[in-house]
Amino acid sequence: MSHTNHPSLQLGIELLLQGNEQEAQMAWLDALSSLGEVEASEFLLKLAESLVIEGNKQKDLGNWWLAWVLYRYACENLPSLENWLQALKASLQAEVS
């Protein structure tokens, strides 16, 4: 199985959407524990990309708080100006909504 298509990627996102942040983190950590350094880096990149994609879906649905949670985790895994700006925008919009 490809590490970038690991079932833990989607499982963790589904757990986040249900409000189970600790379980999501455990799913990702469990997957990471079985990977080498290069594979783990690729896994984290794919995780960040998947979190942004789902964050965009939630934003489009008007679920700003969920979008913020997803973007925040993307920032933790792939800190970039774009990810931080998305997280900030979602955070501000969630406060207004």
Side-chain angles (χ1 to χ4, degrees), residues 37-55:
E37 187 176 334
V38 172
E39 292 84 9
S41 293
E42 292 172 357
F43 178 90
L44 290 173
L45 177 62
K46 181 64 176 175
L47 174 59
E49 291 171 352
S50 299
L51 288 162
V52 168
I53 289 168
E54 186 60 37

Side-chain angles (χ1 to χ4, degrees), residues 76-88:
E76 291 176 10
N77 289 289
L78 183 64
S80 69
L81 181 57
E82 181 180 352
N83 286 347
W84 283 113
L85 289 174
Q86 287 178 316
L88 178 60

Side-chain angles (χ1 to χ4, degrees), residues 8-80:
S8 295
L9 283 171
Q10 191 58 38
L11 173 62
I13 291 172
E14 290 171 15
L15 289 165
L16 274 182
L17 293 173
Q18 297 168 6
N20 299 315
E21 290 188 50
Q22 287 183 331
E23 290 87 349
Q25 291 174 359
M26 291 305 297
W28 296 324
L29 288 174
D30 184 51
L32 283 169
S33 69
S34 66
L35 300 175
E37 187 176 334
V38 172
E39 292 84 9
S41 293
E42 292 172 357
F43 178 90
L44 290 173
L45 177 62
K46 181 64 176 175
L47 174 59
E49 291 171 352
S50 299
L51 288 162
V52 168
I53 289 168
E54 186 60 37
N56 291 339
K57 289 179 189 176
Q58 294 302 316
K59 178 186 69 171
D60 291 344
L61 293 171
N63 297 328
W64 288 100
W65 185 84
L66 283 174
W68 173 75
V69 170
L70 293 155
Y71 291 144
R72 183 172 51 90
Y73 275 94
C75 289
E76 291 176 10
N77 289 289
L78 183 64
S80 69

